Amino acid sequence: MQVTCKNCGLTYSGHFCSNCGQPAATHKLNLHFIWHDIQHGFFHFDKGVLFTAKELFTRPGDSIREFIEGKRVKHFKPISLVIILATFYGLLRHLFHFSILDKKSVSEIQGVDYENLNEWISHHYSWIILLSIPMFSVASFVVFRKQGYNFIAHFVLNSYMASQRLIFRIAIFPVIKYFSQSENITLFVDFLMLMDIVFIFWSYITFFQNLSKVKAFLFSIYAYLLFLVIFFILLLIGVLAFDIHTVN
């Protein structure tokens, strides 16, 4: 059956316009439309977020590689996903007032007010996560440069990996809330850092399939160490800037 596109006027047959992609069927504007729009447009629960989350915790490297190579219909877009997750996690931190920072360790940094720093992190957590992605991307691009992926592919890879870590924290946020008020906070922070490393290495090893497991593991160590160097240099600059800001 021939359909005239309501968006661009092209006459075509099928479910979507071949010129602009407009669906042939347009729903009436009612409560069902609003609910479907919330599901599909923001959360995309019908196949996007939940599918991507499942893939990131069952076959992370393989699924990310498939996305980069063009298999993208079922996946939620990487940048949108990490922004939504980081914002949601920041909201949880704000509403439930929990922190994964070790107060004692932070207080030992001269000139840093823990409460102000923690509040700043809570309100800018999505930016912190987003800023860490280029650092990871530079590190993985340098270390795995012979694997044939450009910097943007590494950026997508590390965006999904950041989402993976955020999903894990959101899933266990009641546990984080509990330990944030416990004397064992330092031990728990070490556990979270260990889990981050496990997720990062798992993703890198399964993503770079042309390398042996041992070589991919060693390269993952190199990439993580390079990330730490970049991170601590920028952290030092950030702490000094934060210190100057609070003094002024």
Side-chain angles (χ1 to χ4, degrees), residues 46-106:
D46 55 341
K47 58 182 178 181
V49 170
L50 294 182
F51 174 82
T52 302
K54 177 183 72 69
E55 293 288 286
L56 289 176
F57 285 92
T58 55
R59 46 192 300 271
D62 296 314
S63 63
I64 298 171
R65 185 176 60 255
E66 289 172 357
F67 178 88
I68 290 173
E69 293 176 353
K71 191 176 180 180
R72 301 172 185 173
V73 173
K74 293 184 178 181
H75 290 276
F76 201 91
K77 300 298 186 291
I79 306 303
S80 299
L81 180 61
V82 74
I83 290 174
I84 291 172
L85 291 172
T87 302
F88 183 63
Y89 186 65
L91 180 63
L92 286 177
R93 288 168 57 89
H94 178 73
L95 292 177
F96 294 94
H97 305 289
F98 65 86
S99 172
I100 60 171
L101 291 177
D102 184 342
K103 292 185 179 182
K104 181 179 179 182
S105 298
V106 174

Side-chain angles (χ1 to χ4, degrees), residues 72-246:
R72 301 172 185 173
V73 173
K74 293 184 178 181
H75 290 276
F76 201 91
K77 300 298 186 291
I79 306 303
S80 299
L81 180 61
V82 74
I83 290 174
I84 291 172
L85 291 172
T87 302
F88 183 63
Y89 186 65
L91 180 63
L92 286 177
R93 288 168 57 89
H94 178 73
L95 292 177
F96 294 94
H97 305 289
F98 65 86
S99 172
I100 60 171
L101 291 177
D102 184 342
K103 292 185 179 182
K104 181 179 179 182
S105 298
V106 174
S107 64
E108 291 173 354
I109 303 176
Q110 186 176 3
V112 174
D113 185 327
Y114 167 80
E115 295 298 335
N116 286 336
L117 179 61
N118 191 37
E119 185 69 15
W120 188 90
I121 290 174
S122 296
H123 284 86
H124 301 84
Y125 195 75
S126 59
W127 289 107
I128 293 171
I129 290 295
L130 288 174
L131 288 173
S132 74
I133 294 172
M135 290 184 262
F136 272 112
S137 301
V138 168
S140 64
F141 178 70
V142 170
V143 173
F144 294 99
R145 60 188 178 278
K146 294 183 179 180
Q147 298 308 303
Y149 294 98
N150 62 25
F151 180 78
I152 299 303
H154 282 268
F155 196 91
V156 170
L157 166 63
N158 287 283
S159 295
Y160 274 128
M161 289 166 58
S163 294
Q164 181 192 52
R165 299 192 296 276
L166 280 167
I167 292 170
F168 176 71
R169 278 168 168 70
I170 291 170
I172 67 166
F173 93 87
V175 181
I176 297 177
K177 168 66 175 176
Y178 170 78
F179 278 100
S180 68
Q181 300 172 336
S182 169
E183 295 180 355
N184 297 319
I185 178 61
T186 302
L187 182 62
F188 185 68
V189 169
D190 291 339
F191 165 75
L192 288 178
M193 292 179 64
L194 176 62
M195 290 305 301
D196 281 349
I197 294 173
V198 169
F199 288 138
I200 291 167
F201 283 24
W202 180 24
S203 298
Y204 281 154
I205 292 171
T206 54
F207 181 85
F208 296 104
Q209 61 177 354
N210 293 329
L211 296 173
S212 67
K213 300 298 183 183
V214 174
K215 194 169 185 178
F217 175 73
L218 292 176
F219 278 22
S220 298
I221 295 175
Y222 299 155
Y224 188 74
L225 291 176
L226 180 56
F227 160 76
L228 290 178
V229 171
I230 299 171
F231 173 79
F232 281 114
I233 290 174
L234 295 179
L235 177 64
L236 178 60
I237 295 172
V239 168
L240 292 174
F242 182 84
D243 189 21
I244 293 172
H245 175 74
T246 54

